[in-house]
Amino acid sequence: MSLLSIIDECGGLENVVRILSPDTRIIVEVRDCGLLSAQLVRSSYHSALKQVTYCKDADDVELEQQLLQVGKLIAQQQLAAAQDYLVPVQCPHRPNWHISPPQGLLNDPNGFIYHQGQYHLFYQLYPYACEHKDKHWVHLASKDLVNWQWQSQSLTLTPSDWFDSHGVFSGHAVSQGDELMLFYTGNVRIDEQRDRHTTQCLATSKDGITFTKQGPVISELPPGVTPHCRDPKVIRHNDRWLMLLGAQREDEIGRLAIYQSDDLKKWTFVALCGDELGDFGYMWECPDFFTLNNQDFIVICPQGIKSAYPSHTVPHHNCILKAALDSDGKVQLCDPQPLDHGFDFYAPQSLQTVDGRRVMCAWMGLPDEANHPSVDNGWMHQLTTLRQLSYENGQLIQRPITELQSLRGEIISIPAGEGVFDLQSKAFELKVTMQWGSSLQVHQSESGYCEIRLDKESKKLYLDRSNTLIREGDTVRELSLDTSESVQLHILSDNSSLELFINNGAAVMSARIFTSENATAISRAGQVDIDACWLLHSAASPFVNSQE
Ligand code: FRU
């Protein structure tokens, strides 16, 4: 039976939610089983899953192409259905200059790249609720890395096809001449037990706006790896392409899977890497790779490792490692360090700017969290500030990109000494020098505040959000800074976030901070000198379509 007859029998395309194509089956999930014949319901319908199962016709050479065509039509239906959910909801926690979703749940940044005169940044979105469900890719572009706008229909990739019907998961982009290539993980769940099927997929565009899905480029899992294998990062190495994937070994140990290719289409497995780290968590997500000052680095998000600090209780971590790639494409890893010591920094991606800087963006949020105060208004999570990475005298340095200075507005002069000062805004940039034993409260009102404290005895910096409206996640982060005499902080604040760049970029802490709308004061105890303070303008709205 041809695919078109199957769709007809299932009540037509409007009645089709998704089509799956595992093993020898074609499975059609329908909206309304009333449109199916009684005979079909009796013979092949699963009422709990709302799915009709057919046997694939092994001789149907056109099936693959037809599935792609039908996927395009389902994508159109999904786009139309999502339109009402792309209207941004009002919320006092909505950031002024960070990227947040119009509605629903945002997570990882994806496909961060410079291509044909613009920076492109995509992100994971479930538009319909603050839940981790079938992910879409939203597309933004910018000329200056500060003001971002939706491209075309904003939802570039929807979970419309047999290979990504339960989520167009994370991945990176490659710019090849006039072609922009998006590599991503297709996530599919099969049968009642929701068996996970993962493939690594490709979508391409000639105009940088409209993408055509090409389907899986890697259909099989690497040997000894569970279906937790995802988030392709493609790099050029020794005249060939390498794809790095976050993976989980069958004994539930996180590893890096590496594939190679000459043409970006045919990929062969090279190795599972990372054994030199031993047991380093049960899964590694979202690998990135870059070189700073002749040193190669790999970034991963390991799940289930132990933090050096007892206040860090959640299993999700971010980590940068020194990497050595050999001529076969295998990688040796050493010296794991947190990239960000705050609460909310996950799945980072980086690009190289036109002038050669390494700039990184991450999800300012963590997996498993589904209840922040913004959920009351129907949206959740945001992306971090863009930061520039460098490697100076053997040390990783991270600073906010200089382009952000374009948001600086009024300079605020804050009188010296202790006490409270109302900035009348939560969107500000503040540079301070703090002595050991001092503390600084920000986002302060009568009902709460977030505290930055320097403990003299332990020589630790504490970031404490226990007196805020936080509903889940850790409330304290700590960081040993025993070498510094005093501590310099460069603080970037927005309506529901704080990012602390510590001692000229030697460490960073990113945090979601939810406080009441009037929590606009700061206060100091002990010696805290204000070096500079600006209120920040809003960036251009990321909910405007640049083609309109
Ligand atoms: C990380 C992650 C990725 C996955 C994506 C799905 O936050 O779990 O591994 O591709 O989110 O949205």
Side-chain angles (χ1 to χ4, degrees), residues 5-60:
S5 322
I6 288 178
I7 291 172
D8 246 15
E9 201 173 71
C10 288
L13 197 68
E14 286 77 51
N15 200 34
V16 173
V17 176
R18 51 170 67 102
I19 297 189
L20 307 169
S21 173
D23 44 60
T24 54
R25 293 173 290 168
I26 295 282
I27 300 173
V28 183
E29 193 170 315
V30 296
R31 268 176 243 288
D32 178 5
C33 70
L35 299 181
L36 311 179
S37 71
Q39 211 274 326
L40 187 63
V41 170
R42 239 178 294 117
S43 64
S44 344
Y45 183 65
H46 187 301
S47 58
L49 296 175
K50 300 185 87 176
Q51 291 178 346
V52 188
T53 300
Y54 293 85
C55 261
K56 253 182 217 165
D57 175 356
D59 302 327
D60 188 352

Coordinates of all heavy atoms in Angstrom, one line a residue, residues 5-60:
S5 N -2.0 6.3 -0.1 CA -3.3 5.5 0.3 C -3.4 5.4 1.8 O -4.5 5.4 2.3 CB -3.3 4.2 -0.4 OG -2.7 4.2 -1.7
I6 N -2.3 5.1 2.4 CA -2.3 5.0 3.9 C -2.9 6.3 4.5 O -3.8 6.2 5.4 CB -0.9 4.7 4.4 CG1 -0.4 3.3 4.0 CG2 -0.8 4.9 5.9 CD1 1.0 2.9 4.5
I7 N -2.4 7.4 4.1 CA -2.8 8.7 4.6 C -4.3 8.9 4.4 O -5.1 9.3 5.3 CB -2.0 9.8 4.1 CG1 -0.6 9.7 4.6 CG2 -2.6 11.2 4.4 CD1 0.4 10.7 4.0
D8 N -4.7 8.5 3.2 CA -6.2 8.6 2.8 C -7.0 7.8 3.8 O -8.0 8.2 4.3 CB -6.3 8.0 1.4 CG -6.8 9.0 0.4 OD1 -6.6 10.2 0.8 OD2 -7.2 8.7 -0.7
E9 N -6.5 6.5 4.0 CA -7.3 5.6 4.9 C -7.3 6.1 6.3 O -8.2 5.8 7.1 CB -6.6 4.2 4.8 CG -7.5 3.1 5.2 CD -6.9 1.8 5.0 OE1 -5.9 1.4 5.8 OE2 -7.3 1.0 4.1
C10 N -6.3 6.9 6.7 CA -6.3 7.5 8.0 C -7.0 8.8 8.2 O -6.8 9.5 9.2 CB -4.8 7.6 8.5 SG -4.1 6.0 8.8
G11 N -7.8 9.1 7.2 CA -8.6 10.3 7.3 C -8.0 11.6 6.7 O -8.4 12.7 7.0
G12 N -7.0 11.4 5.9 CA -6.4 12.6 5.2 C -5.3 13.2 6.1 O -5.2 13.0 7.3
L13 N -4.5 14.1 5.4 CA -3.4 14.7 6.1 C -3.8 15.5 7.3 O -3.0 15.5 8.3 CB -2.6 15.6 5.1 CG -1.2 15.9 5.5 CD1 -0.3 14.7 5.5 CD2 -0.7 17.0 4.6
E14 N -4.9 16.2 7.3 CA -5.3 17.0 8.4 C -5.5 16.1 9.7 O -5.5 16.6 10.8 CB -6.6 17.8 8.2 CG -6.4 19.0 7.3 CD -6.3 18.5 5.8 OE1 -7.2 17.7 5.4 OE2 -5.4 18.9 5.1
N15 N -5.8 14.8 9.4 CA -6.0 14.0 10.6 C -4.7 13.3 11.1 O -4.7 12.5 12.0 CB -7.0 12.9 10.2 CG -7.7 12.2 11.4 OD1 -7.9 12.9 12.5 ND2 -8.0 11.0 11.4
V16 N -3.6 13.6 10.4 CA -2.3 13.0 10.8 C -1.5 13.8 11.7 O -1.2 15.0 11.4 CB -1.5 12.7 9.5 CG1 -0.1 12.2 9.9 CG2 -2.2 11.7 8.6
V17 N -1.2 13.3 12.9 CA -0.4 14.0 13.9 C 1.1 13.8 13.5 O 1.9 14.7 13.5 CB -0.7 13.6 15.3 CG1 0.3 14.3 16.3 CG2 -2.1 13.8 15.7
R18 N 1.5 12.5 13.3 CA 2.8 12.2 13.0 C 2.9 10.9 12.3 O 2.0 10.1 12.4 CB 3.8 12.2 14.2 CG 3.3 11.4 15.3 CD 4.4 11.2 16.4 NE 4.8 12.4 17.1 CZ 4.4 12.8 18.3 NH1 3.6 11.9 19.0 NH2 4.8 13.9 18.9
I19 N 3.9 10.7 11.5 CA 4.1 9.4 10.8 C 5.5 8.9 11.3 O 6.5 9.6 11.3 CB 4.1 9.5 9.3 CG1 2.7 10.0 8.9 CG2 4.5 8.2 8.6 CD1 2.5 10.0 7.4
L20 N 5.5 7.6 11.7 CA 6.8 7.0 12.2 C 7.1 5.8 11.2 O 6.2 5.3 10.6 CB 6.6 6.5 13.6 CG 6.1 7.5 14.6 CD1 5.7 6.8 15.9 CD2 7.2 8.6 14.8
S21 N 8.4 5.5 11.1 CA 8.8 4.5 10.2 C 9.9 3.6 10.8 O 11.0 3.4 10.2 CB 9.4 5.2 8.9 OG 9.9 4.3 8.0
P22 N 9.6 2.9 11.9 CA 10.6 2.1 12.5 C 10.6 0.7 11.8 O 9.5 0.3 11.3 CB 10.1 1.9 13.9 CG 8.6 2.1 13.9 CD 8.3 2.9 12.7
D23 N 11.7 0.0 11.9 CA 11.8 -1.4 11.4 C 11.0 -1.6 10.1 O 11.1 -1.0 9.1 CB 11.5 -2.4 12.5 CG 10.3 -2.0 13.3 OD1 9.2 -2.0 12.8 OD2 10.4 -1.8 14.6
T24 N 10.0 -2.6 10.2 CA 9.2 -2.9 9.0 C 7.9 -2.3 9.0 O 7.0 -2.6 8.2 CB 9.0 -4.5 8.9 OG1 8.4 -4.8 10.2 CG2 10.3 -5.2 8.7
R25 N 7.7 -1.3 9.9 CA 6.4 -0.7 10.1 C 6.3 0.8 9.6 O 7.3 1.5 9.6 CB 6.0 -0.7 11.6 CG 5.8 -2.1 12.2 CD 5.6 -2.0 13.6 NE 6.8 -1.7 14.4 CZ 6.8 -1.3 15.7 NH1 5.7 -1.3 16.4 NH2 7.9 -1.0 16.3
I26 N 5.1 1.1 9.2 CA 4.7 2.6 9.1 C 3.6 2.8 10.2 O 2.6 2.0 10.2 CB 4.1 2.9 7.7 CG1 5.1 2.6 6.6 CG2 3.5 4.3 7.7 CD1 6.1 3.8 6.4
I27 N 3.9 3.8 11.0 CA 2.9 4.0 12.1 C 2.3 5.4 11.9 O 3.1 6.4 11.7 CB 3.5 3.9 13.5 CG1 4.1 2.5 13.7 CG2 2.5 4.3 14.6 CD1 4.9 2.3 14.9
V28 N 1.0 5.5 11.8 CA 0.4 6.8 11.6 C -0.4 7.2 12.9 O -1.3 6.5 13.3 CB -0.6 6.8 10.4 CG1 -1.2 8.2 10.2 CG2 0.1 6.4 9.2
E29 N 0.0 8.3 13.5 CA -0.7 8.8 14.7 C -1.8 9.7 14.2 O -1.5 10.7 13.5 CB 0.2 9.5 15.7 CG -0.3 9.7 17.0 CD 0.8 10.1 18.0 OE1 1.8 9.5 18.0 OE2 0.5 11.1 18.7
V30 N -3.0 9.5 14.7 CA -4.2 10.3 14.2 C -4.8 11.2 15.3 O -4.6 11.0 16.4 CB -5.3 9.4 13.6 CG1 -4.7 8.7 12.3 CG2 -5.8 8.5 14.6
R31 N -5.4 12.3 14.8 CA -6.1 13.2 15.7 C -7.5 12.5 16.2 O -7.8 12.5 17.3 CB -6.5 14.5 15.0 CG -5.4 15.6 15.2 CD -5.7 16.8 14.4 NE -4.7 17.0 13.4 CZ -3.5 17.4 13.7 NH1 -3.1 17.7 14.9 NH2 -2.6 17.6 12.7
D32 N -8.2 12.1 15.2 CA -9.6 11.6 15.4 C -9.8 10.2 14.9 O -9.8 10.1 13.6 CB -10.5 12.7 14.7 CG -12.0 12.3 14.9 OD1 -12.3 11.3 15.6 OD2 -12.8 13.0 14.3
C33 N -10.0 9.3 15.8 CA -10.2 7.9 15.3 C -11.5 7.7 14.7 O -11.8 6.7 14.0 CB -9.9 6.9 16.4 SG -11.1 6.9 17.6
G34 N -12.4 8.6 14.8 CA -13.8 8.6 14.2 C -13.7 8.6 12.7 O -14.6 8.2 12.0
L35 N -12.6 9.1 12.2 CA -12.4 9.2 10.7 C -11.8 7.9 10.1 O -11.6 7.8 8.9 CB -11.5 10.4 10.3 CG -12.0 11.7 10.8 CD1 -11.0 12.8 10.3 CD2 -13.4 12.0 10.2
L36 N -11.6 6.9 11.0 CA -11.1 5.6 10.5 C -12.2 4.6 10.3 O -13.2 4.7 11.0 CB -10.1 5.0 11.5 CG -9.0 5.9 12.0 CD1 -8.1 5.1 13.0 CD2 -8.1 6.4 10.9
S37 N -12.1 3.7 9.4 CA -13.1 2.7 9.2 C -13.1 1.8 10.4 O -12.1 1.5 11.0 CB -12.9 1.9 7.9 OG -11.8 1.1 8.1
A38 N -14.3 1.2 10.7 CA -14.4 0.3 11.8 C -13.5 -0.9 11.6 O -12.9 -1.4 12.6 CB -15.9 -0.2 11.9
Q39 N -13.3 -1.3 10.4 CA -12.5 -2.5 10.1 C -11.0 -2.1 10.5 O -10.3 -2.9 11.1 CB -12.6 -2.8 8.6 CG -12.4 -4.3 8.3 CD -11.0 -4.6 8.1 OE1 -10.3 -3.8 7.6 NE2 -10.5 -5.7 8.4
L40 N -10.6 -0.9 10.1 CA -9.2 -0.5 10.4 C -8.9 -0.4 11.9 O -7.9 -0.8 12.4 CB -8.9 0.9 9.7 CG -7.5 1.4 9.7 CD1 -6.6 0.4 8.9 CD2 -7.4 2.8 9.1
V41 N -9.9 0.2 12.6 CA -9.8 0.3 14.0 C -9.7 -1.1 14.7 O -8.8 -1.3 15.5 CB -11.1 1.0 14.6 CG1 -11.1 1.0 16.1 CG2 -11.1 2.5 14.2
R42 N -10.5 -2.0 14.2 CA -10.4 -3.4 14.7 C -9.1 -4.0 14.5 O -8.5 -4.6 15.3 CB -11.5 -4.2 14.2 CG -12.5 -4.8 15.2 CD -13.6 -5.6 14.6 NE -14.5 -4.8 13.8 CZ -14.7 -5.0 12.5 NH1 -14.1 -5.9 11.8 NH2 -15.6 -4.2 11.9
S43 N -8.6 -3.9 13.2 CA -7.4 -4.7 12.8 C -6.1 -4.0 13.2 O -5.1 -4.7 13.6 CB -7.4 -4.9 11.3 OG -7.3 -3.6 10.7
S44 N -6.0 -2.7 13.2 CA -4.6 -2.1 13.4 C -4.5 -0.9 14.2 O -3.5 -0.2 14.2 CB -4.1 -1.7 12.0 OG -4.7 -2.3 10.9
Y45 N -5.5 -0.5 15.0 CA -5.5 0.7 15.8 C -5.2 0.5 17.2 O -5.7 -0.4 17.9 CB -6.9 1.4 15.6 CG -6.9 2.8 16.3 CD1 -6.2 3.8 15.9 CD2 -7.8 3.0 17.4 CE1 -6.2 5.1 16.5 CE2 -7.9 4.2 18.0 CZ -7.1 5.3 17.6 OH -7.1 6.5 18.2
H46 N -4.3 1.3 17.7 CA -3.9 1.2 19.2 C -4.5 2.5 19.8 O -4.1 3.6 19.6 CB -2.4 1.3 19.3 CG -1.9 1.0 20.7 ND1 -2.2 1.9 21.7 CD2 -1.1 0.1 21.2 CE1 -1.6 1.4 22.8 NE2 -0.9 0.4 22.5
S47 N -5.5 2.2 20.7 CA -6.3 3.4 21.1 C -5.6 4.3 22.1 O -5.7 5.5 22.0 CB -7.7 3.0 21.7 OG -7.4 2.1 22.8
A48 N -4.7 3.7 22.9 CA -4.0 4.6 23.9 C -3.0 5.5 23.2 O -2.8 6.7 23.5 CB -3.3 3.7 24.9
L49 N -2.4 5.0 22.1 CA -1.4 5.8 21.4 C -2.0 6.5 20.2 O -1.3 7.4 19.6 CB -0.3 4.8 20.8 CG 0.6 4.1 21.9 CD1 1.6 3.1 21.2 CD2 1.4 5.1 22.7
K50 N -3.3 6.2 19.9 CA -4.0 6.8 18.8 C -3.2 6.5 17.5 O -3.0 7.4 16.7 CB -4.2 8.3 19.0 CG -5.1 8.6 20.2 CD -5.4 10.0 20.4 CE -6.7 10.4 19.6 NZ -7.2 11.7 19.7
Q51 N -2.7 5.3 17.3 CA -1.8 5.0 16.2 C -2.3 3.8 15.4 O -2.8 2.8 16.0 CB -0.4 4.7 16.7 CG 0.3 5.9 17.2 CD 1.7 5.7 17.8 OE1 2.1 4.5 17.9 NE2 2.5 6.7 18.0
V52 N -2.2 3.9 14.1 CA -2.5 2.8 13.2 C -1.2 2.3 12.6 O -0.4 3.1 12.2 CB -3.4 3.3 12.0 CG1 -3.9 2.1 11.1 CG2 -4.6 4.2 12.4
T53 N -1.1 1.0 12.7 CA 0.2 0.4 12.2 C 0.0 -0.4 10.9 O -0.9 -1.2 10.8 CB 0.7 -0.6 13.3 OG1 0.9 0.2 14.5 CG2 2.1 -1.2 12.9
Y54 N 0.9 -0.1 10.0 CA 0.9 -0.8 8.7 C 2.3 -1.5 8.5 O 3.2 -1.2 9.2 CB 0.8 0.2 7.5 CG -0.5 0.9 7.5 CD1 -0.8 2.0 8.2 CD2 -1.6 0.4 6.6 CE1 -2.0 2.7 8.2 CE2 -2.8 1.1 6.6 CZ -3.0 2.2 7.4 OH -4.2 2.8 7.3
C55 N 2.3 -2.5 7.6 CA 3.6 -3.2 7.2 C 4.1 -2.4 6.1 O 3.4 -2.1 5.1 CB 3.3 -4.6 6.8 SG 3.6 -5.8 8.1
K56 N 5.5 -2.1 6.1 CA 6.1 -1.5 5.0 C 6.1 -2.4 3.8 O 6.3 -3.6 3.9 CB 7.6 -1.2 5.4 CG 7.8 0.3 5.7 CD 9.3 0.5 6.0 CE 9.4 1.5 7.1 NZ 10.7 1.5 7.7
D57 N 5.9 -1.8 2.6 CA 6.0 -2.5 1.4 C 7.5 -2.5 1.0 O 8.1 -1.4 0.7 CB 5.2 -1.8 0.3 CG 5.3 -2.4 -1.0 OD1 6.2 -3.3 -1.2 OD2 4.6 -2.0 -1.9
A58 N 8.2 -3.6 1.1 CA 9.6 -3.7 1.0 C 10.1 -3.2 -0.4 O 11.2 -2.8 -0.7 CB 10.1 -5.1 1.2
D59 N 9.1 -3.3 -1.4 CA 9.5 -3.0 -2.8 C 9.2 -1.5 -3.1 O 9.5 -1.1 -4.2 CB 8.7 -3.8 -3.8 CG 8.9 -5.3 -3.6 OD1 10.0 -5.6 -3.2 OD2 8.0 -6.0 -3.8
D60 N 8.7 -0.8 -2.2 CA 8.4 0.6 -2.5 C 9.6 1.5 -2.4 O 10.0 2.0 -1.4 CB 7.3 1.1 -1.4 CG 6.8 2.5 -1.7 OD1 7.3 3.1 -2.7 OD2 5.9 2.9 -1.1

